[in-house]
Amino acid sequence: MSESINITNIKDRIDRIEDILASVAAGDMEARIQTETEDDFSGIEAAIDLLINDLTEELRQREKVQKELESKLEKIQEQQKTILQQQEDLLELSSPVSKVWDNILILPVIGTLDSQRTQVMMENLLQKIVETGCTISILDITGVPTVDTQVANHLLKTVTAARLLGAECIISGISPAIAQTIVHLGIDLSTIRTKATLQDAMIFAMKQNKRDDEIRALKNIVIPNEHAD
Amino acid sequence: MLEFGNEIKCELLGKFIIENEYDIVTVRQTIRQFAKDAGMGIVDQTRITTAVSELFRNMYNYAGGGEVLIERGEVENHNALIVTCIDKGPGIENLELAMSDGFTSGMGMGYGLPGAKRLVDRFEILSKVNEGTSVRIMKWK
């Protein structure tokens, strides 16, 4: 049985395939052979077109994925920037000292006490003590998750410095877990007046205030009497 | 670098570098989270966090920083959280003295190392002058 191969214009058609492949290689993904002739060779031409289709699809997919990755990377970089910015903001957050009552200052400490922040905190507190003449200050450490020896040392120093200016410091907000940890560490905080909650510290400070007022009132009575004598 | 023997089978949870005060805080928080994940209560979480805080501060203050390995392993039938701190600092001349309460070579209170030891279930220290110091602590429920 003999088979005859039926191909027309073989030379031109091979040239065309070469041209199309060259354009595709150069980046023209629209180029297709699209032969109109129907013979034994047209199957190969159609197959090449199909391959180019697949390749185009693959490339499109890849580009899409790459774009997605790039946009994700950009987002992550932006978030990173925000995080860094927030870190700086947090570190720069100075501790506000406010006068909440006659003679009473409150310094709420939140977050971590590193050496830089403690320095700012101490300066603020001492400054405010001098400015207002308050003799009781409450350091609330409810928002401090970890008290290690360095933090305890900073607190001791702050309390001592405030005492030198004539102000009594009360530390409040020591959690049960932190209390146990301080005992195990071996730190002696017995020289500091401490209260469990800010409320307890506030009550203590107001009682202290009342006592001071009474003493002052007594003095006022006594002094005129002295003059009368 | 001084390293401990590998007699304990452990699974590495993380490896960190301590270079500044900020690292101390972030790695400390990471360890608190691992302790929480290991089912430790708030007291144990606070203890190990404070203990590692002391060790990190020592690394930062005396050796300019160091490396931290966090692992989980089986120790004496306990599921332990193991933290190893390795620095290449000046080392400790007299370990016995450094481990005693109230002794400090710097500005601290002198309760860092002995305090950290009391806060954990196992405490190991290796140190060689001019080579560095490695401390490994273990804490379990």
Side-chain angles (χ1 to χ4, degrees), chain A residues 87 91 112-116 145-153 156-157 177-178 180-181 183-187, chain B residues 21-22 25 28-29 32 42-43 46-47 49-50 53-54 57 61 101 107-109 111-112 114-116 118-119:
Chain A
Q87 280 174 2
L91 282 175
T112 330
L113 285 175
D114 56 22
S115 33
Q116 213 181 332
T146 311
V147 177
D148 57 12
T149 54
Q150 185 178 308
V151 173
N153 204 6
L156 276 169
K157 280 180 181 163
I178 287 183
Q180 289 183 51
T181 310
V183 171
H184 274 96
L185 273 176
I187 307 167
Chain B
E21 280 197 303
Y22 190 76
V25 178
R28 198 169 73 183
Q29 280 169 355
R32 185 185 281 273
I42 182 83
V43 174
T46 310
R47 281 188 186 193
T49 313
T50 310
S53 183
E54 299 294 343
R57 282 201 201 286
N61 289 334
D101 277 323
M107 301 268 292
M109 301 180 87
Y111 288 100
R118 281 190 292 266
L119 286 171

Side-chain angles (χ1 to χ4, degrees), chain A residues 59-116:
Chain A
L59 281 175
R60 241 184 241 139
Q61 287 286 351
R62 213 178 69 186
E63 252 170 52
K64 205 174 132 196
V65 170
Q66 197 168 347
K67 260 187 204 152
E68 273 173 15
L69 280 178
E70 270 168 15
S71 72
K72 266 184 197 162
L73 187 68
E74 225 169 81
K75 243 188 219 165
I76 289 170
Q77 278 168 342
E78 250 169 55
Q79 283 171 344
Q80 197 81 26
K81 250 191 225 164
T82 318
I83 290 170
L84 282 176
Q85 182 63 42
Q86 283 172 343
Q87 280 174 2
E88 274 174 28
D89 290 351
L90 271 178
L91 282 175
E92 277 175 8
L93 259 186
S94 58
S95 315
V97 184
S98 10
K99 185 174 174 178
V100 285
W101 205 263
D102 259 358
N103 209 25
I104 304 171
L105 291 177
I106 283 192
L107 169 59
V109 191
I110 291 165
T112 330
L113 285 175
D114 56 22
S115 33
Q116 213 181 332

